[in-house]
Amino acid sequence: GAFSPVSSNPSYAFSTLLQVRFIGGSFVAFGTSQYSGAPAYVLTSADGLNWAAPVFTNTPVSVESLAFGGGRFLSADFRTSVDGINWQAPASPYFSRVSGLGYGNGMFLAVKTPYFEPYASVATSADGLAWETRVGFGAAGLAVHGGGQFITFKQERRANSADGINWTSAPFPLRYITGAAYGDGRFIV
């Protein structure tokens, strides 16, 4: 169904818009408040040109990386939401630091960023709640899914996997990648 936020709080100020997704026939954009510890905000649009008034989430949530699949959102702090506004905290975050999230082939994929290491730990989940660490390692950065493949990117490396377990790594011509998407049969970085 179409995404439709239902509540707002005008007492927070807007800051940075971080994520835009096309879900259920609507564009959904997520951003952060300029105040530390404040809720994130959500905007929606049917056409990408005209946007509804911002709606604040029920709790602070890390929207630096998001995935949507199986009818729910997953945030970088492992919170889940079915509407993008009301978020549930995990019993315990699976990783302390997530650099990339993706959804494809019926599962969420989380990439953990290790400091000063070129490869990352990877975990998968069918529902965004119960997680399993995988033996394979992707590149320690962004994660995106398309064409039956997960692809992760980080500083001149990319890794791809069809199952989130077995990864193939290769050089990549770009060092600093701040976003990646898949559409119309192509990956865009």
Side-chain angles (χ1 to χ4, degrees), residues 69-135:
R72 73 176 63 197
F73 291 94
L74 175 68
S75 70
D77 53 358
F78 288 90
R79 293 180 183 273
T80 58
S81 173
V82 295
D83 63 7
I85 302 299
N86 298 295
W87 292 83
Q88 304 295 318
S92 172
Y94 192 76
F95 289 143
S96 61
R97 182 175 167 87
V98 173
S99 61
L101 294 170
Y103 183 88
N105 299 343
M107 69 179 165
F108 287 99
L109 177 115
V111 180
K112 177 184 176 183
T113 303
Y115 289 105
F116 307 113
E117 295 180 28
Y119 298 100
S121 298
V122 174
T124 59
S125 171
D127 59 8
L129 304 171
W131 291 87
E132 184 175 348
T133 301
R134 298 301 184 173
V135 175

Side-chain angles (χ1 to χ4, degrees), residues 16 28 58 80 87 104 108 128 148 151 171 177:
T16 307
V28 184
N58 66 321
T80 58
W87 292 83
F108 287 99
I151 297 187
I177 301 168

Side-chain angles (χ1 to χ4, degrees), residues 133-149:
T133 301
R134 298 301 184 173
V135 175
F137 295 93
L142 297 170
V144 65
H145 183 273
Q149 293 282 313

